[in-house]
Amino acid sequence: MAFTKEKGNFKYLSVDSPVKIPSNNVLKFEEKNVEVKSSYDFFKRALDVTASSIALTILSPVFLVTTLAIRKDSEGPAMFKQQRIGKNGKLFEIYKFRTMVPDADKKLFELLAIDEEAAKEYKINKKLKNDPRITKLGNFLRKTSIDELPQLINVLKGDMSLVGPRPYLPREKEDMGEYYNTIIESKPGITGLWQVSGRSNTTFKERMKFDMEYNENKSFANDMGLLFKTIGVVVKKDGAE
């Protein structure tokens, strides 16, 4: 440990153990990393704002038709809002088109309490393959990914990004374990590595591994690659439920 002693007008440095001072190469490397990250964040946000603004304008007729169809199909609001975990653990409200019956969360816990097989499935996947809460129209919206379109509003607001980890539920935080701190380093995305790697066919743990891998290798080039892959996945409806 290093410390100073004052005597008169002089200061004496006493050192109990060697003090390691970063070399110029290390400092330059760290500065370079900061510059790269700043550039990545800037271009990523610029893409998010530009693309979401254009998409919301072009898709406004789809929003209108979907809203009317949901209201005709079942009781309840057309838009669904729910708290999710954002960057650095900050909670935000995610927007989606409603694909389930009203009070879906309440009905989920009621189902898990009486159906042992469903409880086991939900514990592993945090999803139910044949979820009885999904409406007939909701099933179509999910398979076509139309239900995700309102998340463009979240992207424009800055809560989410076009590409990033899955937006996890607050109640899933405890189950995320060691993956949590790495995953929350990035804004959640409408799409991501998990989206092009099986979507609903993946387990909860597999989705977290994909999100962790994304964070460890994120770059603007990788984001663009995932966006183009997502187009193919959505068109083919791979892993959609």
Side-chain angles (χ1 to χ4, degrees), residues 18 28 63 66 78 87 94 108 113 117 121 125 151 161 165 168 176 195 197 201 205 212 226 239:
K28 288 179 181 178
F63 274 69
T66 304
K87 186 176 181 180
I94 195 171
L108 170 65
E117 289 301 314
E121 181 185 351
N125 300 328
Q151 291 175 43
S161 179
Y168 290 84
M176 292 170 73
Q195 177 86 342
S197 305
N201 293 331
K205 188 170 184 179
M212 195 170 196
L226 289 171

Side-chain angles (χ1 to χ4, degrees), residues 138-185:
N139 188 53
F140 168 77
L141 296 177
R142 286 179 170 229
K143 286 187 177 296
T144 55
S145 297
I146 292 175
D147 65 313
E148 309 283 353
L149 292 181
Q151 291 175 43
L152 290 166
I153 300 171
N154 288 116
V155 174
L156 190 60
K157 288 175 62 180
D159 297 324
M160 294 179 64
S161 179
L162 293 175
V163 185
R166 176 177 174 266
Y168 290 84
L169 289 160
R171 66 171 179 258
E172 295 173 337
K173 180 179 177 179
E174 186 176 343
D175 295 321
M176 292 170 73
E178 61 182 329
Y179 297 96
Y180 176 79
N181 287 332
T182 301
I183 289 174
I184 64 169
E185 289 177 2

Side-chain angles (χ1 to χ4, degrees), residues 2 5 14 30 43 64 67 74 80 90 98 103 121 136 150 153 169 174 177 191-192 197 205 209 211:
K5 291 181 178 179
S14 175
E30 291 178 348
F43 285 111
L64 177 60
T67 297
S74 61
F80 172 73
K90 181 182 178 182
R98 183 174 59 82
D103 296 324
E121 181 185 351
K136 186 176 181 180
I153 300 171
L169 289 160
E174 186 176 343
T191 187
S197 305
K205 188 170 184 179
K209 286 182 177 180
D211 288 337

Side-chain angles (χ1 to χ4, degrees), residues 207-223:
R207 291 196 292 273
M208 290 192 295
K209 286 182 177 180
F210 284 130
D211 288 337
M212 195 170 196
E213 183 180 341
Y214 167 79
N215 269 332
E216 291 173 347
N217 301 285
K218 60 185 177 183
S219 68
F220 192 72
N222 285 344
D223 284 353

Side-chain angles (χ1 to χ4, degrees), residues 72-170:
K72 185 177 180 180
D73 181 64
S74 61
E75 293 184 1
M79 196 75 76
F80 172 73
K81 294 188 291 184
Q82 188 180 51
Q83 276 201 332
R84 296 296 177 100
I85 300 173
K87 186 176 181 180
N88 299 323
K90 181 182 178 182
L91 297 180
F92 70 97
E93 279 196 327
I94 195 171
Y95 303 113
K96 300 179 77 172
F97 281 123
R98 183 174 59 82
T99 59
M100 293 185 175
V101 296
D103 296 324
D105 281 345
K106 180 182 177 182
K107 288 179 170 60
L108 170 65
F109 295 122
E110 290 174 352
L111 174 65
L112 299 182
I114 61 175
D115 191 327
E116 188 176 336
E117 289 301 314
K120 287 180 181 178
E121 181 185 351
Y122 190 81
K123 184 176 182 180
I124 296 172
N125 300 328
K126 294 293 184 287
K127 288 177 179 286
L128 295 176
K129 198 168 186 66
N130 297 306
D131 198 325
R133 301 171 299 157
I134 300 176
T135 64
K136 186 176 181 180
L137 177 60
N139 188 53
F140 168 77
L141 296 177
R142 286 179 170 229
K143 286 187 177 296
T144 55
S145 297
I146 292 175
D147 65 313
E148 309 283 353
L149 292 181
Q151 291 175 43
L152 290 166
I153 300 171
N154 288 116
V155 174
L156 190 60
K157 288 175 62 180
D159 297 324
M160 294 179 64
S161 179
L162 293 175
V163 185
R166 176 177 174 266
Y168 290 84
L169 289 160

Side-chain angles (χ1 to χ4, degrees), residues 21-91:
I21 301 175
S23 66
N24 287 335
N25 288 338
V26 172
L27 292 174
K28 288 179 181 178
F29 178 75
E30 291 178 348
E31 289 174 0
K32 184 69 175 177
N33 278 346
V34 171
E35 290 176 6
V36 170
K37 185 180 182 303
S38 296
S39 297
Y40 169 68
D41 290 342
F42 174 80
F43 285 111
K44 185 179 180 73
R45 182 58 185 154
L47 175 64
D48 284 344
V49 172
T50 304
S52 61
S53 299
I54 294 173
L56 285 168
T57 301
I58 295 174
L59 295 172
S60 56
V62 177
F63 274 69
L64 177 60
V65 171
T66 304
T67 297
L68 295 175
I70 293 172
R71 287 178 177 172
K72 185 177 180 180
D73 181 64
S74 61
E75 293 184 1
M79 196 75 76
F80 172 73
K81 294 188 291 184
Q82 188 180 51
Q83 276 201 332
R84 296 296 177 100
I85 300 173
K87 186 176 181 180
N88 299 323
K90 181 182 178 182
L91 297 180

